[in-house]
Amino acid sequence: MERIQKVMNYVEEHYQEPVTLCQVAAHFNLSMEYLARDFKKHTGSTFREYLDKVRLNHAFELLYGTDYSMLEVAMMTGWNGSPSTNLLWLYTMAAVR
C-alpha cells in the first residue's frame, strides 16, 4: 500500500500535466499492467478514475473559490487533452453549475 500511496501523491503533485499510467509506471519502475492491477486492488478505482477525480476536485476548488473561467480552470487542472476527457469535464461541470 505504501507504493500506491506514493503513486497517489505523485498524481496530486502532477495532475496539471498530461499524466498517464505508462508514465507513472515508468517513474516508479513498475510495469503498466502491474501498477494498473495493484492500484485498482488497493483503491477500488482505476488509475484514470483516480486522476479524473483529483482533477475534478481541484477544478471545483478553483471554480468556486476564484474568478477563473471554466476554460482557464480546465487548462489549469489538466483537462486539455483528448476529446473523451474534455467531454467528461463538460458533463461534470454542466451537472454542478
Side-chain angles (χ1 to χ4, degrees), residues 10-95:
Y10 181 89
V11 169
E12 279 286 342
E13 293 170 8
H14 298 275
Y15 70 91
Q16 308 96 327
E17 303 166 16
V19 178
T20 65
L21 177 64
C22 183
Q23 171 202 10
V24 174
H27 178 80
F28 288 98
N29 297 316
L30 302 169
S31 77
M32 198 169 69
E33 295 80 11
Y34 175 81
L35 178 57
R37 189 173 47 252
D38 205 37
F39 195 89
K40 175 83 174 185
K41 175 183 169 186
H42 286 93
T43 67
S45 301
T46 66
F47 176 81
R48 184 64 200 208
E49 290 167 343
Y50 180 75
L51 175 61
D52 288 346
K53 180 180 159 190
V54 168
R55 286 179 170 162
L56 285 172
N57 286 339
H58 286 282
F60 288 142
E61 289 175 14
L62 289 169
L63 282 172
Y64 292 108
T66 69
D67 290 330
Y68 292 120
S69 70
M70 284 182 63
L71 177 60
E72 289 170 316
V73 170
M75 299 300 284
M76 293 168 67
T77 55
W79 292 96
N80 51 357
S82 71
S84 63
T85 59
N86 291 339
L87 281 175
L88 174 61
W89 162 261
L90 289 173
Y91 288 136
T92 303
M93 292 299 110

